[in-house]
């Protein structure tokens, strides 16, 4: 059997570093590394596939932190970005190697690389004791980091209503910080409805005292039937 003439290498990068580009597979950024909040569920599903080594289309392989191989943070091998070297460098590469995958994950890596349709019997998170809880925490950590500004290492989520309002007003989201965007948030539907009622009552019954009008508004605010109507048919 003839030996391969070349060896293919793939880079490994911290997951946090590639998260902005990774999320672009499920959501288009609206401002820097900030995305529509309605797409958060898609991001969580993507991360679950990544952590379970079941993401076939993007070409990444998840690696747990391991101090023994100098891998300090959650990382991914980027299988679509490769470098080819001559096989004569094999001994040098093996000498520099710090670790290797267990056999079952070697099979999964081979499956991903070959884009096969059969699934090797590698364990998922839900097959380990406490695995589902650990998976949920890991997804939360990367899908919803505590970011207050957009930069190369942070992602965030912006309510769709704020994105839509800014776009309707012709504002460039890139020019607005998060505080500016928040000022565009409309008042709750109930507050807007009660303000509309106030204006109509004061117009039709100008003789009514303000205390009386306020009592009416308070009763409407605490009236279950009234508030339920608003949830069925929001005021634009």
């Amino acid at each position: 059997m003839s030996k391969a003439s070349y060896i293919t290498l793939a880079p490994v990068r911290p997951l946090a570093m590639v998260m902005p580009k990774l999320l672009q597979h499920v959501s288009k950024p609206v401002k820097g590394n900030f995305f529509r909040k309605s797409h958060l569920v898609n991001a969580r599903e993507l991360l679950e596939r990544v952590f379970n080594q079941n993401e076939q289309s993007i070409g990444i392989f998840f690696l747990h932190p391991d101090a023994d191989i100098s891998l300090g943070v959650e990382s991914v091998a980027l299988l679509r970005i490769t470098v080819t070297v001559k096989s004569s460098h094999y001994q040098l590469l093996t000498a520099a190697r710090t670790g290797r995958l267990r056999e079952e994950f070697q099979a999964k890596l081979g499956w991903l690389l070959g884009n096969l349709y059969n699934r090797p019997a590698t364990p998922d998170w839900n097959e380990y004791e406490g695995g589902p809880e650990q998976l949920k925490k890991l997804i939360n950590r990367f899908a919803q980091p505590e970011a207050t500004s957009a930069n190369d290492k942070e992602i965030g989520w912006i309510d769709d209503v704020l994105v839509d309002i800014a776009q309707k007003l012709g504002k460039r989201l890139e020019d607005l910080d998060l505080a500016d965007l928040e000022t565009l948030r409309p008042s709750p539907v109930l507050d807007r409805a009660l303000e509309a009622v106030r204006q109509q009552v004061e117009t039709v019954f100008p003789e009514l005292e303000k205390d009386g009008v306020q009592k009416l508004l308070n009763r409407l605010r605490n009236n279950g039937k009234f508030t339920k109507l608003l949830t069925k048919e929001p005021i634009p």
Side-chain angles (χ1 to χ4, degrees):
M1 181 181 296
S2 61
K3 295 183 179 179
S5 300
Y6 295 93
I7 300 171
T8 301
L9 307 176
V12 173
R13 293 288 182 268
L15 177 57
M17 182 180 295
V18 302
M19 273 297 294
K21 286 190 176 296
L22 179 62
L23 290 180
Q24 291 181 30
H25 289 276
V26 295
S27 180
K28 182 179 179 181
V30 295
K31 168 186 168 61
N33 294 334
F34 283 76
F35 303 81
R36 284 181 177 267
K37 200 169 187 177
S38 60
H39 295 166
L40 176 57
V41 63
N42 305 102
R44 296 177 65 86
E45 291 171 350
L46 171 61
L47 285 170
E48 184 172 0
R49 294 195 300 273
V50 169
F51 295 144
N52 275 322
Q53 309 287 24
N54 287 328
E55 176 49 53
Q56 303 175 41
S57 61
I58 299 176
I60 59 176
F61 191 81
F62 177 66
L63 299 169
H64 291 273
D66 191 331
D68 292 338
I69 61 172
S70 302
L71 195 65
V73 296
E74 291 84 357
S75 302
V76 289
L78 307 176
L79 304 181
R80 290 187 180 274
I81 303 175
T82 59
V83 176
T84 302
V85 298
K86 291 184 177 181
S87 58
S88 57
H89 298 295
Y90 179 75
Q91 294 299 329
L92 180 63
L93 293 172
T94 54
R97 182 175 60 193
T98 60
R100 66 173 63 190
L101 297 173
R102 295 202 304 266
E103 287 188 5
E104 63 268 31
F105 287 99
Q106 291 177 23
K108 175 58 74 71
L109 177 59
W111 173 65
L112 289 173
L113 287 171
N115 196 26
L116 302 176
Y117 291 98
N118 60 309
R119 180 183 183 277
T122 52
D124 285 346
W125 287 80
N126 58 9
E127 297 177 44
Y128 293 103
E129 183 177 355
E133 292 77 15
Q134 294 179 39
L135 176 60
K136 185 177 180 179
K137 290 179 180 178
L138 197 56
I139 291 173
N140 286 339
R141 233 180 83 207
F142 283 94
Q144 296 176 275
E146 296 180 357
T148 56
S149 61
N151 61 43
D152 291 339
K153 296 184 180 180
E154 295 177 341
I155 62 168
W157 305 93
I158 301 175
D159 284 343
D160 287 41
V161 64
L162 299 181
V163 176
D164 293 338
I165 290 175
Q167 291 176 343
K168 287 179 181 178
L169 295 175
K171 295 181 179 291
R172 281 173 41 88
L173 278 86
E174 293 80 2
D175 298 334
L176 302 174
D177 60 29
L178 297 183
D180 292 333
L181 277 171
E182 195 60 36
T183 63
L184 302 178
R185 186 182 299 279
S187 302
V189 173
L190 178 58
D191 290 347
R192 285 181 281 153
L194 292 176
E195 181 57 30
V197 171
R198 178 197 300 276
Q199 293 175 7
Q200 292 300 315
V201 169
E202 290 179 347
T203 299
V204 177
F205 305 105
E207 69 279 3
L208 288 179
E209 295 183 358
K210 290 186 176 181
D211 287 346
V213 175
Q214 189 58 50
K215 287 181 180 179
L216 170 62
L217 299 178
N218 291 341
R219 293 198 63 173
L220 289 175
R221 182 182 293 277
N222 296 316
N223 186 292
K225 291 182 179 179
F226 178 74
T227 56
K228 190 174 181 180
L229 289 173
L230 297 176
T231 60
K232 290 182 177 179
E233 192 172 348
I235 296 177

